[in-house]
C-alpha cells in the first residue's frame, strides 16, 4: 500500500475513439469523479482506442497489471470470461435498458461477472447497459426482406442474424461506410443511434430498425486487481463506489442521448424508423432462442445466467 | 569450426525453404478473396470464413518473411553513411548494432511465447460466426521470431568472421544484391 | 525525466542507430524496448508482442501484398513495357512526358486504393525502369513516383481519412469529397513543376529524337497496349464503385485482371507466379516488419506522455489562430519525419481537434491539410514508408541517399499545396458543401 498522501496515476486504455461520446461521457466523467472523490490523489491518464493496446488486447494488459485500468466490450474477453457472451447481449432478450439494468444489478449477474473476472486478477464493472440497433438502406417489411439482407455484423449477433436467415459478412470499421454506400452490404449495426451517427452511417443508410437487436452491458470498465490492491483501503472502496454510481448515471444518460441523437438523425438526415412487423419479430425470436441455448452451453455459469434470463422473461410474461 | 559452418548453412537453407513456400500464400489470399466476392455477389450467399481466413494467413505471411529477408539482406536500412565504410568496418558496426537487434527480438520472443501459450491454454478462438481457433496463428509469432533470431545469429557469426578474419565463413565477393533479385 | 528530454533521447537514438546502418525494423523495435524498460518496466515489453498481433489483424493492410503482386505480374508480362512504349511514342516530343503520364497513372491508382504504398511499389516496378531506360534523371523519376504514390491517401477512398473521421467525428463522406479537388490540384502543381523543370533542363528528361517518334500507323498500333491496363483499372474501380467489393477485396480483382493480362500475353505460367510471389513476399515482409516495430514505437512514445506534451506546447504558444494552425502543421511535419502516420494521428488529433474547432476553423478543411501533411510524412527522410517501398524495388545502383535527396523539391511542392489550401479553403470545402 502507498502512503495516503501520495498521488497515484493510472494508465487507462479506452476502446472508444476520442470522438466517441462515451470517451468523454464515460471515461472523462470517471476521471473527474475519482479526482474529486480522492481529493486529487488518484489520477487517470486516458489513452484513446488503440494508442497503447488494441481493444482486443486490453483485457490481457489489465490482467497482467501492465495497465491499471481499461474499457472493453465483453466480446473482447470471450476466451477468458465465459459469461462474456451473455454480458454482450442475448439477442431480443430485454426490451429496455431498465430491464437489462435490473438483471445486472439486482439479480446478481454483475457479481457473477466479477467472480469470473477475478480469476484473471481483474475487477469488472459494467459501464452501462444500452441497445444495439441496426440501420438498413431499405426498410424490412417481411421475413423475405430480412432473408434478402446482407448485413455487416460481428460476434454473437452475426450468428443470430445468420440463424434468422439474413446473410452476414464481416467488414472492418474502416471500410464500413464505403461498403454501405456502394451497397456491398444493405445494413449494419454499430452501437445504436449514437454509434451509427458517429460513423456517418445515416448518410448512406436511412432506416433505423426497431426493436433493438439486444440491450446489454456492451461496455465494461476493467481494473487491474493488482493496482486496486495497492490503493489504501478507503480509496479502494471509493473506486468501487464511483464505478457503481457510474453504471446508473451512464445508463440513464446514454438512453437520453440515444433519443436525442435519433431525433437529430430524423430531422437532419431524413432518417425513418423501421419498426419490424410482428411476424418478422416472431421469426427472429425463434432464431434468438437457438442462440441463447448455444450461449448456455459455454459453461455452467453461462447456463445459470441464461436460465436467470428465461425465468425473468417468464415473470414478465414474454416467454 | 565445421559444425559452425554447417549450422550457418543449415539455418539459411531452412529460412530460404520456408520463405519459398510461404511466399505462395499471396496466391491463396487472392483466391480466398475472389471466392468470397463470388459467393457474396454472384450467389448472394456471403461466406463468413473467407475474409477472416485471409486475414489470419496475411498475418502469418508477414511474420514468416522476417528470417527469410534477413537471410537475403532484405530488411531495408539507411545506407547514407554505412555504405561508405569498408566491409570489415561494417562488420564491426553490425556487431555493435546487433545488440539492439537481439534486445528487440529476444524480448519479443519471451512475450510472444507467453502470449501464444496463454492463447493455447485457453484454446482461444475468434468468436466470429466462423469461430476458428486463434492459437495456431499466435503460435507463429514466437516461431517466426525464433527463425529471425537464428538467422540473426548466423549474421552475427558472419560478422565475427569478417571482422576478425576467421576461416569458418567466406563472404561472397562484394556485390550489393544478387542481380536476379532485381530483375 | 521530462518528456521533452525523453523525446530528444528517443528520436536521437532512432537517428543514431539508423545512421549506423541497422535495418529500420530492428532500430524501431530495439529503441522501443530500451525506452519502455526505463519508463514503464520490463512487463511493458508485452506491448511490443501485442502490437504485432494487432498489426497482423489489420484488414486494410491485406491490400498491400495483392497490389504488389498485381504490379509484379504486370511488369513481368510486358504489359507495362508496352504501355510505356506507347506513351513514349505519343508524348515522346514533350520533355518529361513520361513523368506526366506516370503522374496520371498514379492518380488513377490513387482512386483504386486507400493506402499509400501500393502505388509506390507498382510504379516503382513498372514506371521506374521504363523511364530510366529512356534516359530520365533518376532523382526526377524517384521524386515523381514518391509523390504520386502518396496520393492514395488523399484521393478517395482513403484509410487515413476514415481514421481522421473516426478520431475527430467528422463525416467520412465529406472527407472523401473534400479530397478530390486538392488531389487534382496537387497533380497539376506537380506536373507543372516537372514540365517547367524539364523544359529548362532538357537532360533531366530527354525527348525522343524525331526519327524515333514513329509513324501514325505505328502510334495507333501501339494504342492497343492501353487495353489491358484499362481492363485492370476497370475491374478494380468498377468493383468498388459498383458495390461488388470493398477496396481491399478490389485488390484481388486487380490480381485477377493482371493474371488475365498475362494470359493474353501468353506469359501465364508457373515461373511467372513463382517469381512474382517471391518478390511480393520480400516487399510485403519488409513493410510488415517495419510496421510491427513502428506501431510498437509510436505506442511506446505515446506511453511516455507525448500527448500532454504537445498539448502543453500548443497552450503556451503566443499568436493568433493562424499561428496555431501553422504551428500544428509544423509539429505534424516534424513528427512525419520520424513516426508512422497512424501513430501521428493517434497522438496529435485528440489534442488538435478541439482547438481547431474552438478557433472556428472547418474540421473538414483542417483534415485535408492534415492528410496532405501525412502524405509528406510518407516521403520525408529518414522515416517514410514510400522511401522504404522504393528502396525495396529500385535497382542496386540507386542508394537510399539518392532517394532521400530526390524528395526535396517534391516536398516543397506539397507544402505549396498546403499553402494554396490555406489561402483558398474553397478548394477543399467546395465539393463537400455541394454534395452534402
Ligand atoms: Na485513394
Ligand atoms: Na517521413
Amino acid at each position: 500500500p502507498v502512503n495516503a498522501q501520495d498521488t497515484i496515476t493510472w494508465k487507462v486504455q479506452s476502446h472508444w475513439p476520442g470522438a466517441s461520446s462515451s470517451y468523454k461521457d464515460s471515461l472523462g466523467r470517471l476521471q473527474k469523479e475519482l479526482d474529486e472523490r480522492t481529493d486529487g490523489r488518484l489520477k487517470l491518464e486516458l489513452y484513446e482506442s488503440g494508442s497503447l493496446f488494441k481493444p482486443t488486447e486490453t483485457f490481457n494488459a489489465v490482467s497482467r497489471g501492465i495497465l491499471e485500468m481499461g474499457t472493453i466490450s465483453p466480446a473482447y474477453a470471450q476466451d477468458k470470461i465465459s459469461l462474456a457472451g451473455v454480458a454482450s447481449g442475448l439477442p431480443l432478450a430485454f426490451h429496455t435498458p431498465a430491464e437489462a439494468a435490473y438483471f445486472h444489478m439486482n439479480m446478481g449477474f454483475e457479481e457473477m461477472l466479477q467472480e469470473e473476472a477475478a480469476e484473471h486478477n481483474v475487477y469488472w464493472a459494467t459501464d452501462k447497459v444500452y441497445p444495439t440497433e441496426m440501420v438498413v438502406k431499405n426498410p424490412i417489411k417481411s421475413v423475405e426482406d430480412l432473408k434478402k439482407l446482407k448485413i455487416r455484423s460481428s460476434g454473437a449477433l452475426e450468428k443470430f442474424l445468420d440463424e434468422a436467415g439474413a446473410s452476414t459478412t464481416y467488414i472492418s470499421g474502416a471500410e464500413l461506410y464505403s461498403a454501405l454506400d456502394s451497397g456491398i452490404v444493405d445494413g449494419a449495426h454499430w452501437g445504436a443511434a449514437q454509434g451509427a451517427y458517429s460513423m456517418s452511417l445515416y448518410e448512406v443508410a436511412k432506416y433505423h430498425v426497431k426493436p433493438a437487436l439486444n440491450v446489454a452491458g456492451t461496455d465494461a470498465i476493467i481494473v487491474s486487481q493488482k493496482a486496486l490492491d495497492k490503493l489504501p483501503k478507503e480509496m479502494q472502496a471509493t473506486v468501487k463506489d464511483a464505478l457503481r454510481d457510474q453504471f446508473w448515471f451512464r445508463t440513464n444518460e446514454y438512453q437520453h442521448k440515444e433519443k436525442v441523437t435519433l431525433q437529430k438523425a430524423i430531422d437532419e438526415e431524413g432518417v425513418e424508423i423501421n419498426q419490424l412487423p410482428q411476424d418478422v419479430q416472431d421469426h427472429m425470436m425463434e432464431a434468438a432462442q437457438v442462440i441463447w441455448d448455444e450461449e448456455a452451453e459455454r459453461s455452467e455459469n453461462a447456463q445459470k445466467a441464461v436460465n436467470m434470463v428465461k425465468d425473468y422473461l417468464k415473470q414478465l410474461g414474454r416467454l | 569450426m565445421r559444425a559452425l559452418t554447417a549450422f550457418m548453412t543449415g539455418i539459411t537453407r531452412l529460412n530460404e525453404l520456408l520463405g519459398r513456400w510461404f511466399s505462395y500464400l499471396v496466391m491463396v489470399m487472392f483466391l480466398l478473396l475472389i471466392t468470397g466476392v463470388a459467393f457474396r455477389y454472384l450467389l448472394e450467399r456471403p461466406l463468413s470464413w473467407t475474409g477472416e481466413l485471409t486475414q489470419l494467413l496475411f498475418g502469418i505471411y508477414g511474420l514468416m518473411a522476417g528470417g527469410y529477408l534477413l537471410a537475403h539482406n532484405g530488411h531495408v536500412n539507411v545506407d547514407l553513411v554505412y555504405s561508405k565504410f569498408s566491409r570489415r568496418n561494417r562488420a564491426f558496426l553490425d556487431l555493435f548494432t546487433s545488440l539492439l537487434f537481439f534486445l528487440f527480438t529476444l524480448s519479443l520472443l519471451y512475450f510472444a511465447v507467453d502470449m501464444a501459450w496463454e492463447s493455447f491454454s485457453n484454446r482461444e478462438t475468434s468468436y466470429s460466426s466462423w469461430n476458428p481457433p486463434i492459437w495456431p496463428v499466435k503460435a507463429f509469432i514466437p516461431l517466426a521470431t525464433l527463425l529471425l533470431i537464428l538467422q540473426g545469429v548466423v549474421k552475427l557469426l558472419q560478422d565475427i568472421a569478417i571482422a576478425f578474419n576467421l576461416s569458418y565463413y567466406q563472404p561472397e565477393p562484394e556485390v550489393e544484391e544478387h542481380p536476379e533479385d532485381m530483375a | 525525466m521530462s518528456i521533452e528530454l525523453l523525446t530528444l533521447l528517443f528520436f536521437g537514438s532512432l537517428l543514431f542507430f539508423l545512421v549506423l546502418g541497422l535495418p529500420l525494423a530492428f532500430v524501431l523495435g530495439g529503441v522501443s524496448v530500451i525506452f519502455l524498460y526505463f519508463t514503464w518496466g520490463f512487463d511493458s515489453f508485452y506491448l511490443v508482442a501485442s502490437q504485432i498481433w494487432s498489426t497482423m489483424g489489420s484488414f486494410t493492410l491485406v491490400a498491400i501484398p495483392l497490389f504488389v503482386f498485381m504490379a509484379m505480374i504486370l511488369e513481368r508480362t510486358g504489359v507495362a513495357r508496352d504501355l510505356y512504349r506507347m506513351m513514349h511514342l505519343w508524348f515522346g516530343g514533350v520533355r518529361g512526358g513520361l513523368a506526366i503520364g506516370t503522374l496520371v497513372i498514379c492518380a488513377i491508382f490513387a482512386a483504386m486504393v486507400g493506402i499509400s504504398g501500393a502505388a509506390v511499389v507498382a510504379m516503382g516496378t513498372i514506371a521506374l525502369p521504363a523511364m530510366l531506360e529512356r534516359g530520365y534523371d533518376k532523382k526526377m523519376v524517384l521524386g515523381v513516383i514518391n509523390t504520386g504514390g502518396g496520393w492514395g491517401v488523399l484521393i478517395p477512398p482513403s484509410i487515413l481519412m476514415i481514421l481522421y473521421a473516426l478520431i475527430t467525428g467528422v463525416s467520412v463522406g465529406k472527407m472523401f469529397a473534400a479530397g478530390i479537388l486538392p488531389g487534382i490540384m496537387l497533380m497539376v502543381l506537380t506536373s507543372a513543376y516537372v514540365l517547367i523543370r524539364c523544359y529548362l533542363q532538357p537532360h533531366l528528361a530527354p525527348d525522343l529524337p524525331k526519327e524515333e517518334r514513329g509513324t501514325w500507323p505505328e502510334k495507333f498500333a501501339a494504342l492497343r497496349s492501353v487495353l489491358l491496363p484499362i481492363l485492370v483499372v476497370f475491374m478494380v474501380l468498377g468493383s468498388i464503385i459498383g458495390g461488388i467489393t470493398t477496396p481491399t477485396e478490389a485488390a484481388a480483382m486487380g490480381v485477377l485482371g493482371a493474371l488475365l493480362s498475362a494470359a493474353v500475353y501468353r506469359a501465364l505460367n508457373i515461373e511467372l507466379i513463382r517469381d512474382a510471389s517471391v518478390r511480393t513476399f520480400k516487399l510485403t515482409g519488409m513493410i510488415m516488419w517495419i510496421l510491427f516495430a513502428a506501431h510498437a514505437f509510436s505506442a511506446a512514445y505515446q506511453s511516455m506522455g507525448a500527448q500532454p506534451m504537445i498539448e502543453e506546447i500548443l497552450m503556451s504558444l503566443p499568436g493568433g489562430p493562424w499561428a496555431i494552425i501553422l504551428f500544428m502543421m509544423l509539429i505534424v511535419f516534424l513528427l512525419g519525419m520520424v513516426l508512422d502516420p497512424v501513430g501521428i494521428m493517434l497522438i496529435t488529433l485528440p489534442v488538435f481537434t478541439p482547438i481547431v474547432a474552438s478557433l472556428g476553423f472547418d474540421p473538414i478543411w483542417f483534415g485535408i491539410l492534415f492528410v496532405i501533411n501525412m502524405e509528406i510524412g510518407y516521403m520525408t527522410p529518414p522515416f517514410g514508408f514510400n522511401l522504404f517501398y522504393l528502396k525495396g524495388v529500385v535497382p542496386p545502383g540507386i542508394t537510399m541517399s539518392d532517394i532521400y535527396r530526390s524528395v526535396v523539391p517534391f516536398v516543397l511542392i506539397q507544402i505549396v499545396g498546403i499553402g494554396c489550401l490555406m489561402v483558398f479553403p474553397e478548394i477543399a470545402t467546395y465539393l463537400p458543401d455541394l454534395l452534402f
Side-chain angles (χ1 to χ4, degrees):
Chain A
V2 288
N3 285 328
Q5 296 79 20
D6 288 350
T7 304
I8 303 146
T9 307
W10 280 5
K11 283 190 165 67
V12 187
Q13 171 70 72
S14 160
H15 73 303
W16 298 296
S20 149
S21 65
S22 281
Y23 185 79
K24 281 170 224 87
D25 295 349
S26 279
L27 268 182
R29 175 184 185 277
L30 188 64
Q31 186 184 37
K32 213 170 118 243
E33 279 294 309
L34 286 177
D35 189 64
E36 280 169 13
R37 292 188 191 197
T38 64
D39 294 321
R41 283 182 298 145
L42 181 57
K43 301 273 186 204
L44 301 189
E45 206 171 87
L46 306 188
Y47 292 90
E48 306 196 22
S49 177
S51 37
L52 300 179
F53 291 92
K54 291 283 169 335
T56 46
E57 281 289 308
T58 304
F59 187 89
N60 287 338
V62 171
S63 160
R64 288 161 180 268
I66 302 167
L67 289 172
E68 285 83 8
M69 191 189 254
T71 67
I72 59 167
S73 158
Y76 303 151
Q78 295 202 62
D79 57 321
K80 310 272 166 49
I81 308 288
S82 82
L83 289 172
V86 181
S88 48
L90 297 179
L92 305 185
F94 304 119
H95 285 185
T96 62
E99 289 176 11
Y102 186 82
F103 173 66
H104 266 263
M105 294 310 195
N106 300 60
M107 292 177 66
F109 181 65
E110 185 79 0
E111 276 155 33
M112 289 167 69
L113 271 171
Q114 286 175 343
E115 275 165 30
E116 281 202 5
E119 286 170 29
H120 300 275
N121 303 314
V122 169
Y123 180 80
W124 184 290
T126 301
D127 178 55
K128 59 182 170 289
V129 289
Y130 65 94
T132 296
E133 290 167 0
M134 207 163 43
V135 294
V136 289
K137 289 172 79 85
N138 296 301
I140 303 168
K141 291 183 178 147
S142 64
V143 175
E144 270 57 54
D145 286 349
L146 176 72
K147 288 186 174 173
K148 269 187 261 162
L149 277 187
K150 282 183 269 193
I151 303 169
R152 183 272 177 201
S153 181
S154 60
L157 284 176
E158 191 174 353
K159 278 186 222 163
F160 161 58
L161 291 166
D162 274 336
E163 185 69 36
S167 304
T168 57
T169 182
Y170 178 75
I171 288 167
S172 72
E175 294 191 327
L176 175 54
Y177 177 93
S178 317
L180 261 178
D181 189 22
S182 63
I184 294 168
V185 288
D186 321 298
H189 55 82
W190 191 277
Q194 294 178 72
Y197 196 89
S198 74
M199 293 283 284
S200 318
L201 300 187
Y202 290 128
E203 287 174 13
V204 285
K206 297 286 182 201
Y207 295 89
H208 184 104
V209 179
K210 293 263 186 184
L213 294 174
N214 69 32
V215 184
T218 320
D219 289 329
I221 297 171
I222 49 176
V223 185
S224 151
Q225 191 63 52
K226 205 161 95 186
L228 205 54
D229 290 344
K230 275 190 201 154
L231 299 181
K233 272 274 170 313
E234 91 286 348
M235 205 190 275
Q236 295 183 22
T238 310
V239 171
K240 290 182 182 176
D241 285 347
L243 286 171
R244 194 168 320 105
D245 295 348
Q246 169 99 350
F247 174 87
W248 294 107
F249 186 91
R250 284 292 292 143
T251 296
N252 259 327
E253 184 185 47
Y254 199 86
Q255 199 182 355
H256 167 72
K257 289 199 169 178
E258 271 299 305
K259 288 179 181 160
V260 172
T261 307
L262 187 54
Q263 193 54 45
K264 195 160 80 175
I266 290 169
D267 296 340
E268 289 174 6
E269 308 268 358
V271 168
E272 286 179 37
I273 305 290
N274 174 200
Q275 186 73 35
L276 294 177
Q278 194 56 46
D279 62 321
V280 178
Q281 288 192 40
D282 293 344
H283 168 82
M284 289 172 79
M285 190 62 179
E286 272 174 42
Q289 297 196 25
V290 175
I291 300 297
W292 300 2
D293 292 339
E294 267 177 32
E295 208 52 66
E297 278 166 26
R298 213 181 266 192
S299 71
E300 265 176 49
N301 251 355
Q303 179 75 59
K304 188 177 154 203
V306 170
N307 286 342
M308 278 161 62
V309 173
K310 285 185 175 172
D311 290 344
Y312 179 32
L313 294 183
K314 274 177 199 148
Q315 281 183 336
L316 300 180
R318 288 218 295 269
L319 274 185
Chain B
M1 281 300 163
R2 201 174 282 167
L4 218 51
T5 314
F7 167 79
M8 291 164 69
T9 327
I11 296 297
T12 308
R13 278 204 193 135
L14 177 67
N15 268 319
E16 174 70 36
L17 188 76
L18 288 172
R20 283 198 176 273
W21 280 105
F22 277 89
S23 72
Y24 286 115
L25 276 183
V26 70
M27 273 302 280
V28 180
M29 290 189 270
F30 156 67
L31 290 171
L32 280 171
L33 285 177
I34 290 288
T35 310
V37 171
F39 269 79
R40 189 180 61 227
Y41 187 71
L42 299 176
L43 306 175
E44 302 256 312
R45 293 315 301 177
L47 300 173
S48 62
W49 53 274
T50 48
E52 197 178 352
L53 182 56
T54 308
Q55 182 74 65
L56 295 175
L57 293 178
F58 169 74
I60 295 174
Y61 179 80
L63 277 174
M64 290 301 285
Y68 176 81
L69 278 171
L70 191 58
H72 279 261
N73 225 348
H75 284 287
V76 67
N77 68 344
V78 174
D79 54 13
L80 290 178
V81 181
Y82 185 73
S83 58
K84 300 206 165 59
F85 288 105
S86 73
R87 166 172 265 190
R88 186 132 181 258
N89 285 338
R90 285 207 303 262
F92 276 114
L93 263 185
D94 288 351
L95 285 179
F96 171 63
T97 54
S98 69
L99 276 176
L100 210 57
F101 169 84
F102 286 111
L103 210 57
F104 167 53
T105 49
L106 286 172
S107 61
L108 175 57
L109 181 68
Y110 179 86
F111 279 94
V113 166
D114 200 34
M115 191 161 91
W117 177 250
E118 191 180 14
S119 175
F120 175 74
S121 24
N122 290 323
R123 300 292 186 280
E124 188 184 359
T125 61
S126 78
Y127 291 98
S128 62
S129 72
W130 176 40
N131 201 20
I134 286 296
W135 62 265
V137 185
K138 275 195 177 166
F140 269 95
I141 306 180
L143 180 70
T145 309
L146 182 67
L147 285 164
L148 177 63
I149 290 174
L150 288 173
Q151 196 64 52
V153 173
V154 173
K155 168 101 171 74
L156 184 73
L157 291 170
Q158 290 175 352
D159 287 332
I160 292 175
I162 297 170
F164 301 103
N165 285 322
L166 302 179
S167 62
Y168 64 83
Y169 171 70
Q170 297 298 331
E172 286 168 33
E174 190 78 286
V175 276
E176 280 236 333
E177 237 179 337
H178 297 288
E180 69 265 26
D181 279 345
M182 42 91 26
Chain C
M1 199 185 293
S2 77
I3 171 68
E4 287 79 7
L5 188 57
L6 269 177
T7 301
L8 281 179
L9 283 175
F10 194 54
F11 293 112
S13 17
L14 172 79
L15 292 181
F16 176 70
F17 283 100
L18 274 185
V19 169
L20 292 189
L22 182 68
L24 207 85
F26 311 137
V27 175
L28 290 166
V31 171
S32 309
V33 166
I34 293 178
F35 278 78
L36 278 173
Y37 180 78
F38 287 111
T39 58
W40 199 355
F42 178 74
D43 283 341
S44 66
F45 293 0
Y46 179 75
L47 179 134
V48 179
S50 152
Q51 284 290 344
I52 289 190
W53 172 241
S54 310
T55 310
M56 288 164 68
S58 170
F59 195 68
T60 47
L61 292 177
V62 175
I64 292 180
L66 294 166
F67 275 122
V68 171
F69 193 49
M70 176 191 92
M72 296 297 171
I73 296 171
L74 287 177
E75 194 262 337
R76 265 294 153 88
T77 46
V79 176
R81 191 184 54 229
D82 288 356
L83 181 68
Y84 271 84
R85 190 175 151 264
M86 179 283 289
M87 288 195 334
H88 213 202
L89 284 179
W90 280 83
F91 309 117
V94 184
R95 286 178 203 155
L98 288 186
I100 306 294
T102 303
L103 287 171
V104 172
I105 299 175
C106 281
I108 296 171
F109 216 109
M112 312 199 301
V113 300
I115 50 182
S116 161
V120 178
V121 173
M123 299 319 287
T125 310
I126 293 170
L128 185 115
M131 287 193 280
L132 289 182
E133 256 169 45
R134 292 171 174 90
Y136 273 56
D137 176 64
K138 65 182 171 187
K139 276 193 228 140
M140 175 63 80
V141 172
L142 290 168
V144 160
I145 293 173
N146 227 319
T147 312
W151 295 340
V153 293
L154 180 61
I155 297 174
S158 159
I159 295 304
L160 289 192
M161 284 185 183
I162 290 171
L163 192 61
Y164 180 86
L166 264 180
I167 299 177
T168 62
V170 301
S171 145
V172 179
K174 281 187 190 173
M175 276 303 285
F176 278 8
I180 297 174
L181 290 181
I184 294 173
M185 173 191 77
L186 284 181
M187 200 174 92
V188 172
L189 283 176
T190 314
S191 303
Y193 165 76
V194 170
L195 284 175
I196 294 170
R197 186 91 200 275
C198 296
Y199 179 78
L200 297 175
Q201 293 168 287
H203 66 278
L204 294 180
D207 47 8
L208 194 61
K210 277 237 165 51
E211 58 280 9
E212 286 174 39
R213 281 182 202 162
T215 59
W216 283 107
E218 273 176 326
K219 283 185 182 180
F220 278 104
L223 269 187
R224 269 186 313 194
S225 68
V226 300
L227 289 178
L228 288 173
I230 286 180
L231 169 82
V232 176
V233 170
F234 179 78
M235 286 180 71
V236 176
L237 268 186
S239 55
I240 296 175
I241 296 167
I244 300 169
T245 69
T246 64
T248 302
E249 291 167 334
M253 299 300 280
V255 173
L256 188 63
L259 289 173
L260 288 175
S261 308
V264 172
Y265 270 70
R266 296 181 192 283
L268 185 57
N269 54 43
I270 187 71
E271 270 155 67
L272 174 82
I273 302 288
R274 193 177 58 213
D275 286 356
S277 299
V278 167
R279 296 174 75 199
T280 306
F281 188 56
K282 284 183 178 172
L283 265 171
T284 313
M286 175 194 94
I287 289 300
M288 284 304 289
W289 276 88
I290 295 176
L291 272 174
F292 288 155
H295 287 163
F297 189 80
S298 344
Y301 187 45
Q302 180 83 286
S303 79
M304 292 177 218
Q307 207 160 3
M309 177 188 76
I310 289 170
E311 201 159 10
E312 211 171 287
I313 295 178
L314 278 177
M315 286 307 162
S316 63
L317 198 70
W322 279 100
I324 292 176
I325 294 283
L326 284 172
F327 200 73
M328 286 176 175
M329 287 294 121
L330 180 68
I331 291 177
V332 174
F333 178 83
L334 291 176
L335 287 178
M337 296 175 79
V338 284
L339 280 181
D340 75 303
V342 175
I344 296 172
M345 293 177 93
L346 285 172
I347 291 174
T348 60
L349 281 180
V351 182
F352 288 176
T353 318
I355 299 177
V356 170
S358 72
L359 294 176
F361 289 105
D362 182 350
I364 298 281
W365 165 81
F366 183 76
I368 298 300
L369 295 187
F370 197 93
V371 170
I372 298 181
N373 216 333
M374 290 289 91
E375 243 183 84
I376 296 176
Y378 276 110
M379 56 191 274
T380 46
F383 183 95
F385 279 103
N386 288 4
L387 307 166
F388 310 140
Y389 275 116
L390 263 183
K391 185 67 173 62
V393 290
V394 292
I398 294 177
T399 63
M400 200 55 153
S401 80
D402 290 329
I403 301 178
Y404 278 2
R405 273 193 283 247
S406 72
V407 301
V408 177
F410 292 89
V411 167
L412 291 176
I413 295 169
Q414 311 254 343
I415 294 176
V416 169
I418 292 185
C420 291
L421 279 172
M422 288 183 168
V423 180
F424 306 106
E426 297 79 14
I427 301 173
T429 56
Y430 176 73
L431 275 184
D433 288 348
L434 187 76
L435 297 174
F436 289 90

